[in-house]
Amino acid sequence: MQILIVLGVAFGLLLCDLILKNYVERRMKEGEERPIGKTKFILRHVHNKGMCLNCFEKHPKLVKDSSIVATLLVLGMFLRTLIRKKQYFLKMGFALLTAGAIGNTIDRCTKGYVTDYIGRKSRHKNIENITYNLSDFFLFIGIFILWVASIFSTKRK
C-alpha cells in the first residue's frame, strides 16, 4: 500500500506541474507577468533553455542529454527504494526528486526549454529575475528530505 501512495504522490505532483506549465504556455505570452493575489509572488512566463539560472543555455544538447541521464538515474534510485521496507522519508524524497526531474526533462525533450512561471517581486533585481516552476521546488524539497533522511540513517548505524 505504501508503494501505491508514494507512486501516487510522485505522479500527482508531476501532473500538477505539467498542468500549470500548459496553462502558462497557452494563456500567457512569454515575458508576461500577473500578480498572484496580494502577495509578492507573480505568475511569469519564462523559457529557460539552460539548467538552473540558465546555466549552459548555449549548449542545449548537453543540457538535454544530462537531464535525461540524471532523470534516469534518479528514477532508478526511486524504483530501487520503493521495494525496500519502511524508509518512508527516503521514498518520499525520491518521489519529489523524480517528479521534478521528469517534469523538467519532459519540457527539455519536447520543447527544447523548460517553462518557468513562479517569480517574486523584490527590490533586488537579481532575486526578482529568478523564475521557477513546481518541478524546481520538488527537486529542492526532495533533496532536502533525502539529506535529512541520510543524517538520521547515519546516526542510527
Side-chain angles (χ1 to χ4, degrees):
M1 185 63 156
Q2 189 183 65
I3 290 174
L4 291 176
I5 292 169
V6 174
L7 284 171
V9 167
F11 183 75
L13 294 174
L14 173 61
L15 193 59
C16 285
D17 182 56
L18 293 176
I19 288 169
L20 281 169
K21 286 176 179 175
N22 186 47
Y23 173 85
V24 169
E25 285 286 340
R26 291 180 181 268
R27 307 259 172 115
M28 295 176 69
K29 295 176 184 161
E30 188 178 0
E32 183 181 346
E33 294 183 358
R34 297 181 187 168
I36 300 175
K38 294 183 180 186
T39 68
K40 289 188 176 193
F41 292 97
I42 54 173
L43 200 58
R44 177 189 299 141
H45 186 177
V46 175
H47 292 169
N48 181 349
K49 295 181 180 177
M51 292 181 178
C52 181
L53 301 174
N54 272 330
C55 290
F56 300 107
E57 68 181 331
K58 304 275 191 227
H59 306 281
K61 181 158 176 34
L62 173 68
V63 170
K64 178 181 164 186
D65 291 348
S66 61
S67 184
I68 291 169
V69 169
T71 299
L72 290 173
L73 288 171
V74 167
L75 181 61
M77 291 187 296
F78 176 49
L79 295 174
R80 184 171 167 236
T81 303
L82 271 179
I83 60 174
R84 294 182 183 169
K85 294 185 183 205
K86 299 182 181 178
Q87 299 184 325
Y88 183 71
F89 286 105
L90 203 61
K91 291 175 185 176
M92 289 308 288
F94 275 116
L96 270 85
L97 199 59
T98 301
I102 291 173
N104 283 339
T105 300
I106 286 172
D107 266 9
R108 285 191 181 102
C109 291
T110 59
K111 299 183 244 175
Y113 57 85
V114 173
T115 301
D116 288 332
Y117 48 83
I118 300 170
R120 184 179 187 284
K121 289 286 184 190
S122 173
R123 56 192 158 137
H124 304 287
K125 277 293 175 198
N126 290 341
I127 292 172
E128 190 168 310
N129 289 336
I130 299 172
T131 310
Y132 301 95
N133 60 46
L134 283 183
S135 284
D136 297 334
F137 289 111
F138 301 155
L139 291 167
F140 299 142
I141 296 167
I143 289 168
F144 179 77
I145 291 171
L146 291 173
W147 176 69
V148 170
S150 73
I151 289 171
F152 286 106
S153 84
T154 304
K155 286 185 177 182
R156 277 193 232 143
K157 290 182 181 181

